[in-house]
Amino acid sequence: MAHSYTPGLKVARFTVVRRERKLPLAGTVLVTVGQTVEAETVVARTELPGNVQTVNAANILGVLPEDVPDCLIKPIGSHLKKGEAFAESRSFFGLFKSRCTAPVDSTLEIISTVTGQAILREPPIPVEVDAYVDGTVVEVHEGQGVTVETRGSFIQGIFGIGGETVGSLHICVDGPGDVLTEARIGEEVRGKILVGGSHVSTKVLRYAIQRGARAVVVGGFDDHDLREFLGYDLGVAITGSEEKGITLVVTEGFGEIPMAGRTFELLKQCEGKKASVSGATQIRAGVLRPEIVVPQAVAPGAGADGDGGGHAGLELGSVIRVIREPFFGRLGKVVALPPELMALETEAKVRVLEVDFGNGSKSILPRANVEMIES
Amino acid sequence: MTLPKPDELNSILATDCGSTTTKAILIERRGGEYRLIVRGEAPTTVEAPFEDVTRGVLNAIMEVEELAGRKLLDGERILTPQKGNEGVDLYISTSSAGGGLQMMVSGVVKSMTGESAQRAALGAGAIVMDVIASNDGRLPHEKIKRIRQLRPDMILLSGGIDGGTTSHVAEMAELLAAADPKARLGAGYELPVIYAGNKDARSIVEERLASKTALVVTDNLRPVLERENLTPARDKIHDLFMEHVMAHAPGYKKLMTWSPVPIMPTPGAVGLIMETIARDEKINVLGVDIGGATTDVFSVFQGVFNRTVSANLGMSYSVSNVLAEAGLPNILRWVPFEISEPDLRNRIKNKMIRPTTIPQTLDELVIEQAIAREALRLAFDQHKMLAVGLKGVQQERTISDTFEQTGSGASLVRLDHLDLLVGSGGVLSHAPRRAQSALMMLDAFLPEHVTELAVDSIFMMPQLGVLSTVHPEAAKHVFEKDCLIRLGSSVAPVGPCKEGTVALRAALEYADGRKEEVSVPFGQLKLIPVPDGQTVNAVLRPDRGLDVGAGKGKERSVTLRGGIVGVILDARGRQPFVLPADRTQRIAKLAEWNEALDIYPVAVRS
């Protein structure tokens, strides 16, 4: 295949970010095109139909299913309080009464004359969607939501947990290779997005929660820590709904891996700025990666704009990062792209490239095991 | 495009749109038989930014054009029929892109109509997200909540035998109506619901669901307790897959106009091929397709076809779930060297988050193949649980059953009756050495007595499956000549024995008249090279406690088919198959087996 390499994750100093903010069901959009919004602004609202409860009315009343409608003392569509009766029957010359009551506050929706079941619906559940990023509404999807656009810095992680959050960026370490420890988390982190270096442990993550941090962005995380933190072994990489009190964005992978220098530098330049962070990850079908969006009017620091997506494809001189053992995490420059298939140590014949890791060491790697990063 | 007459069919272009890759093959009639000419592939383009499946199909066809040196496309149109060296006579396709066909099924009794409905959906190529039944242990509101949470492509509602009770069916229909489920792809169309239950409840179901869903009624899939009638429900699933699901997936409307043959769900097509082999050769077949996200298992025993899909067992997207379900010790038991647990865990997670990477070192390959063994084993366990006889059927007993009674619902999968085991999917089809595929299958499935092993050369069973619906002969030619790679046969004595005792003696007579006597001690593997296309006549003499298909300690004469690997005498034990508990001994044993089959180029570090 021509595209047998992995495009790198996006790390953009200054770019346009658009996010669709949609309701799960049709509802009301509360903002208009051109309106400036903050991350916390509610842009759309709806009500999800309430949960359904069933009551076996025929059984309780001691009547045949087809006779249940005759026993109703409240019409279909009535609003009922918890414990309120909606049907009753009398037996033994009216001496004994059987009553059906609502198990929760609900509306009487249907009575089945086949099964004798009464179906009651609980009150609707309000659902709101916020703007997630500071920006401008550029499109309204009638009855569904909006698209918010912002300009600023944008960084994708490789894996995350936890939902969306907002806070100011706080750099906790001196360099991308430093491990984030408790000692580096002070009182000042409350409500902030913490940037660590190469690693964070569950213990430190819990400490950050105690201190009121909203998110942690770090190079690497161990799988056994992930299991301990979540309380279960994560099987499929679909995350974002965990409610652990903090959002985690891992930029490089599992293990202790220094954060890519470019990512760390960009985050450092954005220190103190308000950032929107999401840990939601879905690797299959759709590929959703965790992200950090820092809205700002101009590009931070010096250097070229653009992203590290590497859409141009691999070419001689491309800077790559190895994303699998045995050189996992190392950076290098492509020095040869042989067109023919070559046999690996495993004897598998694949497309390869030759990479120079600097200091004179070179290696042949499968193209599938590298990702491009911007030089 | 119109469907050409079979005798006018000289060239066929077939694609399979997978969740990550679209594969195209070109088949031509040469010298009276159909053969695979070339294969091309390109990334699937169902997702953003393309959101049009036809882009990936065209890219894959362009690769075929380049490799075959033939013009097949005129811009974005497939040239049909073939004229001279340009174009093809027929274009066909299968698809599992965008998550394949995801269904929810419902029955009255979970182990009876619920299971029948599940088998119908799985047989049609669907992933079954959940089985809702009257007796599934959940409260009505929990069922409703679940139905609302899942956004299936389609629902199959069954329940009751014809003439039986209607109230439970009505109850299920009411729950469905109350849940008001929405379709997965787009909220703009009604969710297809197939009713295949008690015919007397049809009017009730129509009354409850016709206004809320796209309801289709078909024959009861369990008209009487003793018989399943799954074909009408399966056919309806295929029709609705085309009409509703595919028509709403990006680019499929266009793709459907390119072929006169309906697009088939990939696993449905593979299932067809498995059924065809079993029927034509009158054998029991077990097939597996291990992908990045899912593992499908197919079986045909005594003519009964079953398919299961393990939606979260796979080698890339789902690799971490194999670890979660199998547990680390089960994966580690297949690794013939020391590795730290945290390191292995991190490696597996890194594969999950970067699913397209491949093993570069031998250690990494060994670890991937260890994971594959566990994924296959777990998928097979799930298959055995569903591929069972009908439950709830009254059994006729005679006096001879006094001491040996089996209940209804016994598994149909009998490893001692298995004739052919076929493997497919990247880790099996593309293993650097075919012997690696053979050993992975032996370890995961533990076939008993005499079993033939094969792999799909380049994973083209889906395309051949759909081709078999319009031209069975062409499909058979390509399947026999180009698709199926015969690895050889395995002989595995069943029963307990002492380590080191001679478990199996075999008197072999080769095609060239050469004779040989071999013996295999218990706990060991021995490879007899018998090339593909040749057979060897063998008289098998197991130890007195062991059985090779003729009874304990009884001699059996068989003809063993050779293959690219050969004949494997597997005396490692069955029922039980046990790996040494001691780590050092286990590692030594694995190394010994790897060496016996020459699995790896050099001894894996220990």
Side-chain angles (χ1 to χ4, degrees):
Chain A
M1 272 200 296
H3 302 286
S4 57
Y5 70 92
T6 311
L9 299 168
K10 275 191 177 173
V11 179
R13 189 175 298 279
F14 194 68
T15 188
V16 175
V17 179
R18 285 175 157 230
R19 287 290 170 266
E20 273 194 356
R21 310 297 294 163
K22 283 189 173 176
L23 293 163
L25 278 182
T28 315
V29 175
L30 306 169
V31 290
T32 53
V33 171
Q35 190 174 330
T36 304
V37 288
E38 293 200 343
E40 300 82 358
T41 309
V42 174
V43 295
R45 182 179 292 143
T46 191
E47 289 186 332
L48 288 178
N51 287 327
V52 171
Q53 298 275 348
T54 53
V55 173
N56 194 338
N59 217 5
I60 294 168
L61 299 172
V63 298
L64 292 171
E66 57 263 37
D67 296 332
V68 174
D70 298 335
C71 301
L72 287 180
I73 53 174
K74 299 275 182 179
I76 298 289
S78 300
H79 296 289
L80 304 169
K81 288 272 169 215
K82 183 180 176 182
E84 190 176 344
F86 61 89
E88 67 177 30
S89 65
R90 289 167 186 274
S91 56
F92 208 69
F93 308 108
L95 286 176
F96 299 104
K97 263 200 297 197
S98 299
R99 292 184 132 198
C100 282
T101 57
V104 287
D105 289 357
S106 52
T107 305
L108 182 58
E109 198 167 273
I110 298 170
I111 295 288
S112 169
T113 52
V114 178
T115 59
Q117 297 273 357
I119 291 175
L120 299 107
R121 195 173 289 275
E122 291 178 32
I125 306 153
V127 176
E128 289 181 344
V129 172
D130 64 25
Y132 171 55
V133 287
D134 289 1
T136 309
V137 177
V138 291
E139 198 178 342
V140 168
H141 311 282
E142 212 48 62
Q144 295 178 65
V146 298
T147 300
V148 179
E149 183 180 292
T150 192
R151 281 162 197 275
S153 303
F154 176 70
I155 294 163
Q156 271 184 327
I158 188 81
F159 175 79
I161 47 175
E164 296 168 348
T165 188
V166 178
S168 67
L169 281 172
H170 178 78
I171 311 295
C172 296
V173 291
D174 300 327
D178 294 349
V179 172
L180 182 60
T181 57
E182 289 180 0
R184 292 177 183 270
I185 300 172
E187 287 288 350
E188 70 284 359
V189 303
R190 183 160 300 280
K192 292 185 178 169
I193 314 291
L194 313 188
V195 178
S198 59
H199 188 261
V200 68
S201 65
T202 292
K203 188 165 166 257
V204 176
L205 215 46
R206 290 198 174 126
Y207 186 72
I209 297 170
Q210 266 179 32
R211 291 273 170 156
R214 295 214 172 133
V216 168
V217 182
V218 74
F221 191 51
D222 276 322
D223 183 44
H224 68 82
D225 275 321
L226 177 68
R227 188 174 53 158
E228 192 189 331
F229 189 61
L230 292 178
Y232 56 88
D233 236 333
L234 184 77
V236 181
I238 298 175
T239 66
S241 58
E242 301 78 15
E243 290 179 358
K244 306 302 290 183
I246 201 160
T247 294
L248 173 70
V249 176
V250 178
T251 60
E252 314 303 316
F254 287 88
E256 186 180 325
I257 316 163
M259 186 181 289
R262 189 167 175 274
T263 309
F264 185 78
E265 281 310 312
L266 181 54
L267 288 167
K268 208 169 161 184
Q269 285 162 4
C270 297
E271 181 158 25
K273 300 242 164 56
K274 182 178 177 183
S276 298
V277 178
S278 168
T281 309
Q282 188 176 339
I283 293 167
R284 190 177 163 193
V287 191
L288 180 68
R289 296 285 189 186
E291 62 181 18
I292 302 132
V293 185
V294 191
Q296 46 200 332
V298 290
D305 292 350
D307 62 53
H311 299 304
L314 282 171
E315 49 192 40
L316 294 179
S318 295
V319 177
I320 54 94
R321 175 174 21 208
V322 187
I323 53 174
R324 180 135 186 183
E325 300 292 342
F327 301 107
F328 187 51
R330 287 182 70 175
L331 297 180
K333 197 173 270 185
V334 177
V335 291
L337 285 165
E340 66 278 7
L341 303 179
M342 280 178 69
L344 303 175
E345 180 189 313
T346 60
E347 297 182 329
K349 286 186 178 155
V350 297
R351 282 212 153 161
V352 297
L353 53 78
E354 189 175 8
V355 63
D356 184 348
F357 290 123
N359 62 40
S361 71
K362 289 183 182 176
S363 205
I364 303 278
L365 301 172
R367 291 191 195 186
N369 290 2
V370 301
E371 69 180 13
M372 289 188 60
I373 60 170
E374 194 183 303
S375 52
Chain B
M1 194 194 271
T2 51
L3 187 61
K5 288 178 187 154
D7 54 345
E8 291 170 0
L9 199 59
N10 289 313
S11 55
I12 302 142
L13 182 64
T15 56
D16 171 44
C17 310
S19 50
T20 49
T21 313
T22 298
K23 282 85 64 180
I25 57 170
L26 177 66
I27 294 167
E28 285 182 6
R29 179 152 63 180
R30 289 188 180 175
E33 64 176 8
Y34 292 88
R35 295 299 299 263
L36 169 77
I37 304 302
V38 288
R39 174 188 193 265
E41 65 179 38
T44 296
T45 49
V46 170
E47 313 290 349
F50 303 102
E51 292 184 341
D52 180 355
V53 73
T54 60
R55 285 257 49 95
V57 170
L58 291 170
N59 289 340
I61 297 174
M62 276 189 251
E63 196 164 298
V64 168
E65 272 187 325
E66 280 173 30
L67 293 168
R70 272 184 58 171
K71 190 173 161 65
L72 303 174
L73 294 169
D74 177 19
E76 297 197 347
R77 192 177 67 85
I78 298 170
L79 287 164
T80 53
Q82 183 179 347
K83 281 182 188 151
N85 199 32
E86 288 188 2
V88 287
D89 291 324
L90 176 67
Y91 169 69
I92 50 177
S93 190
T94 58
S95 175
S96 60
L101 168 61
Q102 302 185 7
M103 289 185 68
M104 206 197 75
V105 304
S106 161
V108 168
V109 180
K110 190 165 185 174
S111 63
M112 291 161 74
T113 45
E115 240 176 55
S116 295
Q118 202 177 354
R119 278 193 282 265
L122 287 165
I127 289 171
V128 175
M129 304 163 90
D130 202 349
V131 183
I132 310 270
S134 292
N135 68 335
D136 64 12
R138 287 176 282 196
L139 294 169
H141 73 272
E142 290 173 329
K143 288 176 197 166
I144 291 169
K145 200 170 168 189
R146 181 76 180 140
I147 297 168
R148 281 167 59 169
Q149 272 173 355
L150 300 173
R151 289 181 74 132
D153 291 317
M154 205 183 291
I155 292 177
L156 173 61
L157 174 64
S158 70
I161 54 169
D162 283 343
T165 172
T166 56
S167 64
H168 287 300
V169 181
E171 183 193 324
M172 297 310 295
E174 279 162 14
L175 290 182
L176 263 187
D180 197 10
K182 297 281 177 272
R184 181 169 64 107
L185 296 171
Y189 76 102
E190 287 182 329
L191 176 74
V193 175
I194 299 166
Y195 175 64
N198 181 359
K199 63 182 181 190
D200 297 348
R202 282 179 186 172
S203 57
I204 299 168
V205 172
E206 276 167 357
E207 191 188 310
R208 302 288 188 281
L209 293 173
S211 62
K212 291 194 166 184
T213 62
L215 181 70
V216 174
V217 176
T218 189
D219 292 348
N220 191 352
L221 52 79
R222 192 87 182 253
V224 288
L225 267 184
E226 291 75 17
R227 188 167 59 84
E228 273 180 348
N229 177 31
L230 305 181
T231 309
R234 270 188 201 161
D235 290 348
K236 277 282 176 278
I237 293 170
H238 281 159
D239 293 350
L240 292 175
F241 178 65
M242 286 290 288
E243 283 170 31
H244 289 260
V245 185
M246 284 288 96
H248 289 87
Y252 278 89
K253 243 180 197 157
K254 196 176 0 165
L255 186 68
M256 283 154 69
T257 63
W258 292 1
S259 174
V261 183
I263 297 169
M264 195 179 264
T266 302
V270 176
L272 268 182
I273 269 287
M274 296 283 176
E275 276 190 283
T276 310
I277 313 173
R279 193 179 50 240
D280 289 356
E281 298 192 20
K282 296 186 179 59
I283 54 173
N284 295 324
V285 179
L286 184 64
V288 64
D289 171 24
I290 176 164
T294 62
T295 297
D296 284 23
V297 181
F298 308 82
S299 70
V300 187
F301 279 85
Q302 281 83 49
V304 180
F305 169 73
N306 272 292
R307 168 192 172 246
T308 51
V309 55
S310 300
N312 288 323
L313 292 175
M315 291 306 297
S316 61
Y317 299 107
S318 309
V319 70
S320 186
N321 199 53
V322 179
L323 170 68
E325 286 197 22
L328 202 63
N330 273 328
I331 291 173
L332 278 172
R333 71 189 172 129
W334 299 113
V335 180
F337 49 80
E338 302 283 354
I339 182 166
S340 88
E341 188 177 315
D343 182 23
L344 182 59
R345 295 190 74 95
N346 284 342
R347 284 184 196 220
I348 292 173
K349 278 288 188 298
N350 280 323
K351 169 82 179 183
M352 173 187 81
I353 58 176
R354 290 185 168 101
T356 55
T357 60
I358 57 173
Q360 186 186 345
T361 63
L362 205 49
D363 287 3
E364 290 260 303
L365 179 74
V366 170
I367 292 170
E368 283 219 2
Q369 294 187 344
I371 299 167
R373 284 171 167 86
E374 286 304 300
L376 292 169
R377 180 182 66 83
L378 291 169
F380 184 45
D381 282 351
Q382 291 179 7
H383 184 79
K384 281 186 282 189
M385 281 164 63
L386 196 78
V388 293
L390 299 183
K391 289 174 188 159
V393 178
Q394 209 166 4
Q395 305 267 302
E396 270 187 38
R397 310 264 192 216
T398 63
I399 191 72
S400 62
D401 296 322
T402 309
F403 299 105
E404 197 181 329
Q405 290 197 353
T406 53
S408 61
S411 183
L412 296 170
V413 178
R414 293 276 307 267
L415 284 166
D416 53 343
H417 291 180
L418 176 63
D419 298 301
L420 175 65
L421 176 58
V422 186
S424 181
V427 73
L428 292 174
S429 293
H430 301 312
R433 290 188 181 191
R434 297 290 186 196
Q436 292 164 3
S437 313
L439 192 57
M440 277 188 271
M441 291 200 284
L442 287 180
D443 290 344
F445 292 92
L446 298 170
E448 299 170 0
H449 304 163
V450 177
T451 314
E452 216 186 300
L453 307 172
V455 288
D456 177 357
S457 62
I458 51 166
F459 190 44
M460 59 169 138
M461 284 199 276
Q463 292 99 318
L464 298 184
V466 69
L467 178 60
S468 74
T469 63
V470 288
H471 202 311
E473 191 195 348
K476 195 174 174 194
H477 285 177
V478 181
F479 184 78
E480 284 288 332
K481 303 269 179 182
D482 301 307
C483 172
L484 203 65
I485 294 191
R486 308 258 177 193
L487 300 178
S489 304
S490 78
V491 177
V494 176
C497 191
K498 270 192 189 155
E499 184 81 17
T501 311
V502 174
L504 180 68
R505 287 186 174 80
L508 305 171
E509 187 180 349
Y510 296 91
D512 58 8
R514 192 163 44 93
K515 290 185 178 174
E516 189 183 11
E517 288 269 345
V518 292
S519 59
V520 195
F522 190 74
Q524 292 189 14
L525 278 176
K526 191 169 184 72
L527 178 67
I528 313 286
V530 181
D532 190 20
Q534 291 189 20
T535 56
V536 59
N537 290 322
V539 180
L540 307 170
R541 296 185 192 95
D543 184 57
R544 60 196 164 92
L546 299 171
D547 180 6
V548 286
K552 276 185 184 173
K554 301 250 173 75
E555 184 179 293
R556 182 181 174 191
S557 296
V558 284
T559 300
L560 300 169
R561 196 164 178 164
I564 213 156
V565 177
V567 170
I568 302 167
L569 303 180
D570 182 355
R572 299 177 299 167
R574 297 287 191 272
Q575 299 184 43
F577 166 84
V578 187
L579 275 162
D582 175 76
R583 201 169 48 182
T584 315
Q585 282 180 21
R586 177 181 55 78
I587 287 175
K589 205 75 200 164
L590 291 175
E592 181 191 311
W593 295 339
N594 290 342
E595 203 180 323
L597 294 194
D598 192 19
I599 294 290
Y600 298 115
V602 290
V604 180
R605 70 181 166 92
S606 55

